[in-house]
């Protein structure tokens, strides 16, 4: 877990809500949602690339460069949305000799036209932009499966075409069979998603908001969690009981979310250590 907060991090720079005030007082900091995964401990992939990616990589020894001068264990980035808080970190990787980016055609088109991150990044590094259908084989013994869970466009995308805007990923280690589901932007728990998580060892769920009205109660701003594309924890927690053998945790916490406990993921948490 490189980062466990929603866009803006926690505390958010311009927010004086109770959660942000307490975080400042106690010196607690959640950086923005990004996860690093590996099958063999050598080849690593990022699940999204948030704006805090440079700081996150520097404080993660497993992602340190070497032994070659510009050799890095980072093999690529798998994007689950086109949202700014999940993609802006790509610009911080522009020093790479080569970057492999996996995304749906819908997300790629948005990042090429509506927000031209792809051509901007391509001016600095060799881009290997790959389509991510329902499955892809990665280096290091990982297989990534994808399912579309939402159709909400980023604000900047306007009427951009496509339906595969928000994805959940299931990463499986082909050696031992361990599997991890990443679904930090989940608008609704559908029967298809229930099948997708069945049998997984670990699932990281959308923990943006505790309740549907959290944002309004905390800040006075209008808008509900589900209208913003996030299933509240109060709704998803009962769903997890259907899978008693799977460990569920919550990431992507908004700065207004005061949740704590064993199922709340934090920066630096290691989900698997068997590699």
């Amino acid at each position: 877990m490189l980062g466990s907060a929603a866009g803006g991090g926690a505390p958010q720079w311009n927010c004086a809500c109770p959660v942000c005030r307490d975080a400042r007082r106690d010196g607690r900091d959640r950086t923005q949602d990004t996860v690093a995964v590996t099958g063999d401990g050598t080849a690593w992939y990022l699940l999204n690339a948030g704006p805090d990616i440079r700081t996150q990589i520097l404080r993660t020894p497993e992602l340190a460069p070497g032994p070659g001068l510009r050799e890095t264990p980072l093999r690529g980035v798998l994007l689950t949305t086109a949202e700014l808080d999940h993609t802006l970190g790509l610009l911080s990787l522009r020093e790479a000799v080569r970057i492999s980016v996996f995304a749906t055609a819908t997300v790629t088109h948005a990042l090429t036209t509506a927000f031209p991150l792809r051509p901007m990044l391509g001016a600095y590094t060799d881009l290997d932009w790959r389509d991510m259908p329902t499955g892809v084989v990665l280096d290091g013994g990982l297989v990534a499966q994808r399912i579309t869970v939402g159709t909400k466009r980023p604000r900047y995308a306007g009427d951009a075409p496509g339906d595969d805007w928000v994805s959940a990923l299931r990463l499986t280690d082909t050696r031992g069979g361990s599997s991890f589901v990443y679904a930090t932007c989940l608008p609704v728990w559908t029967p298809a998603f229930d099948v997708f998580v069945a049998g997984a060892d670990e699932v990281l769920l959308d923990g943006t908001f505790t309740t549907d009205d959290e944002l309004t109660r905390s800040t006075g701003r209008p808008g509900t969690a589900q209208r913003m594309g996030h299933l509240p924890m109060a709704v998803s927690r009962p769903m997890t009981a259907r899978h008693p053998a799977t460990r569920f945790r919550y990431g992507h916490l908004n700065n207004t979310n005061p949740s704590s406990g064993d199922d709340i993921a934090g920066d630096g948490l290691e989900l698997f250590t068997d590699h």
Side-chain angles (χ1 to χ4, degrees):
M1 290 286 298
L2 300 185
S4 58
Q12 186 169 294
W13 69 274
N14 65 336
C15 186
C17 74
V19 175
C20 286
R21 289 201 303 268
D22 290 346
R24 288 189 181 93
R25 181 195 65 209
D26 299 336
R28 290 181 286 107
D29 181 31
R30 287 183 180 272
T31 59
Q32 295 169 85
D33 177 52
T34 300
V35 172
V37 296
T38 184
D40 61 2
T42 299
W44 289 82
Y45 291 85
L46 300 180
L47 308 185
N48 294 321
D52 300 317
I53 191 62
R54 178 184 177 275
T55 297
Q56 293 167 340
I57 289 176
L58 288 177
R59 70 185 186 189
T60 305
E62 293 86 350
L63 299 180
L69 183 62
R70 288 296 180 95
E71 186 178 352
T72 171
L74 187 60
R75 296 290 188 270
V77 182
L78 283 68
L79 299 179
T80 64
T81 78
E83 294 286 358
L84 296 181
D85 62 315
H86 282 151
T87 59
L88 282 178
L90 288 173
L91 294 175
S92 295
L93 302 178
R94 63 188 180 276
E95 295 88 358
V97 175
R98 183 177 179 84
I99 297 178
S100 293
V101 181
F102 299 81
T104 65
T106 297
V107 168
T108 298
H109 184 267
L111 295 177
T112 303
T113 56
F115 175 60
L117 184 149
R118 181 182 180 183
M120 283 191 293
L121 190 58
Y124 293 88
T125 183
D126 182 13
L127 273 178
D128 178 21
W129 208 278
R130 305 186 188 183
D131 185 39
M132 187 163 58
T134 56
V136 60
V137 178
L138 304 173
D139 292 344
L142 282 181
V143 172
Q145 297 171 276
R146 187 196 66 81
I147 183 175
T148 298
V149 294
T151 57
K152 181 176 177 290
R153 292 170 174 79
R155 294 182 190 180
Y156 70 77
D159 58 355
D163 296 316
D164 298 327
W165 285 104
V166 186
S167 300
L169 299 176
R170 180 164 176 156
L171 288 297
T172 301
D173 183 347
T174 58
R175 301 167 309 152
S178 297
S179 57
F180 165 59
V181 174
Y182 174 84
T184 58
C185 291
L186 183 68
V188 62
W189 193 300
T190 64
F193 181 73
D194 201 61
V195 172
F196 194 69
V197 302
D201 296 279
E202 292 263 3
V203 177
L204 188 66
L205 286 175
D206 191 332
T208 310
F209 299 110
T210 51
T211 61
D212 203 37
D213 64 346
E214 177 188 305
L215 187 65
T216 300
R217 286 189 295 102
S218 299
T219 67
R221 291 177 54 192
T224 66
Q226 294 188 72
R227 288 186 66 181
M228 295 174 67
H230 298 286
L231 188 67
M233 293 166 59
V235 177
S236 63
R237 269 190 170 130
M239 307 292 190
T240 65
R242 302 175 183 176
H243 306 276
T246 298
R247 177 157 192 174
F248 290 88
R249 305 190 219 221
Y250 288 92
H252 198 266
L253 274 68
N254 194 56
N255 62 294
T256 57
N257 188 339
S259 297
S260 61
D262 291 341
D263 64 347
I264 303 300
D267 290 24
L269 175 69
E270 292 189 42
L271 297 168
F272 291 99
T273 58
D274 60 350
H275 62 266

